[in-house]
Amino acid sequence: MRNIRLPAHVAFIMDGNGRWAKKHFRPRGYGHKMGVQNMIKLCSHAFKLGVKIVTVYALSTENLSRPQEELDGIYDLFRSYFQKQKGKIQELGVRVNVMGDLTPLHEDVRGLLLETMRDTAVNAPNGLLNLCINYGARQEIIQAVNHAVAFGRFVDENSFKSLLYSAGMPDPDLIIRTGGEVRLSNFLLYQAAYTELYFSNKMWPEFSRRDLEKALVNYSQRDRRFGNVKKG
Ligand code: IPE
Ligand code: IPE
Ligand code: MG
């Protein structure tokens, strides 16, 4: 992994928890549990390799229409990782930022997320971890437009970007989606205009450090032209 051009910002669409659990004759909630474990493992590996920003899609606005039982299991996982086992997140040594509309979440979960953002705001030598929770790119864009309208302002690319959840951050260089589906599912639609996309047929809980390294090597071999002509 040495001497390759690494992305500064990697985003993960962590898909396939449910199918992975089914394959192992376990309930979907078990897939989510193993999915969170894998998220910590892979984020830690990405930061160790030198990635500065990792953004993970944990729950989409559309996911809120799933059965309440599944959502309650996911909220319990949040409670676990932001309260009882919060050391696991703190060990990453990164600032945690939550992107998404937290208003429909249970008050205690919202409180824990805000507390985590506060507690990790200082002493974060390894970078930034964005957790997308009840995140939807359309909601994000519409909210930004409404803010601009409320301020009575026309926007340009820079001022519009500052109204998104990702204000002040560089766009993702690479989005990795596991689970075999080849789509963005309402993830970072504005920010991903020039992002490289990588799709894996592995389910998220089985996506390994080695798989991540393969994706990073693949990224390093791409020619990012941004509309220009090939150099050299
Ligand atoms: C991704 O796994 C995690 C969430 C969307 C919360 P899924 O739950 O979508 O798993 P599959 O796609 O049904 O296998
Ligand atoms: C995308 O996965 C959302 C997350 C990984 C959080 P979904 O399972 O919700 O996406 P679709 O429904 O297959 O597009
Ligand atoms: Mg899915």
Side-chain angles (χ1 to χ4, degrees):
M1 290 304 294
R2 241 172 254 162
N3 299 328
I4 68 161
R5 183 175 46 93
L6 273 181
H9 182 177
V10 176
F12 292 108
I13 301 177
M14 309 185 290
D15 195 22
N17 292 347
R19 280 164 288 160
W20 179 86
K22 193 169 177 201
K23 206 164 70 180
H24 292 84
F25 308 102
R26 302 294 294 262
R28 293 181 62 84
Y30 182 70
H32 294 314
K33 187 173 167 201
M34 299 313 280
V36 181
Q37 278 185 22
N38 205 38
M39 181 200 101
I40 307 258
K41 184 175 105 180
L42 287 193
C43 288
S44 164
H45 195 54
F47 288 120
K48 216 167 276 167
L49 291 172
V51 174
K52 291 296 168 215
I53 305 177
V54 177
T55 299
V56 295
Y57 204 5
L59 197 67
S60 72
T61 47
E62 289 74 20
N63 290 152
L64 257 63
S65 63
R66 289 192 181 190
Q68 197 55 43
E69 190 192 340
E70 177 168 350
L71 291 173
D72 285 342
I74 292 173
Y75 297 140
D76 277 345
L77 280 171
F78 292 158
R79 288 188 182 95
S80 172
Y81 277 86
F82 297 110
Q83 195 169 34
K84 281 177 242 133
Q85 313 191 59
K86 67 178 177 189
K88 291 193 174 149
I89 301 265
Q90 283 164 347
E91 271 169 31
L92 294 173
V94 295
R95 177 162 77 83
V96 175
N97 176 51
V98 180
M99 305 192 351
D101 176 15
L102 301 186
T103 45
L105 300 186
H106 296 285
E107 210 178 310
D108 68 316
V109 174
R110 191 166 60 239
L112 287 172
L113 293 172
L114 297 174
E115 199 177 294
T116 305
M117 285 202 273
R118 252 198 331 266
D119 292 352
T120 59
V122 286
N123 215 348
N126 298 335
L128 170 66
L129 172 62
N130 293 307
L131 298 175
C132 299
I133 294 176
N134 191 24
Y135 171 88
R138 287 181 174 173
Q139 182 267 334
E140 176 184 41
I141 291 167
I142 288 168
Q143 179 174 279
V145 169
N146 284 334
H147 277 134
V149 170
F151 298 145
R153 282 202 327 233
F154 284 106
V155 289
D156 57 20
E157 282 194 19
N158 278 332
S159 59
F160 189 70
K161 270 178 120 171
S162 74
L163 298 172
L164 299 173
Y165 292 122
S166 55
M169 294 171 207
D171 291 337
D173 298 295
L174 173 66
I175 290 179
I176 298 174
R177 181 175 186 143
T178 59
E181 312 294 355
V182 184
R183 54 178 171 252
L184 287 174
S185 302
N186 203 11
F187 189 47
L188 301 177
L189 297 185
Y190 187 84
Q191 297 88 337
Y194 263 103
T195 300
E196 298 296 325
L197 307 177
Y198 183 92
F199 298 95
S200 166
N201 287 326
K202 291 248 180 115
M203 299 297 130
W204 175 253
E206 66 194 6
F207 192 73
S208 66
R209 293 188 186 94
R210 183 78 201 94
D211 293 324
L212 171 60
E213 289 177 7
K214 250 170 59 185
L216 295 176
V217 169
N218 179 288
Y219 167 85
S220 74
Q221 293 161 348
R222 299 198 190 179
D223 181 21
R224 301 186 75 189
R225 290 187 293 279
F226 298 99
N228 210 325
V229 289
K230 194 171 165 56
K231 292 198 185 77

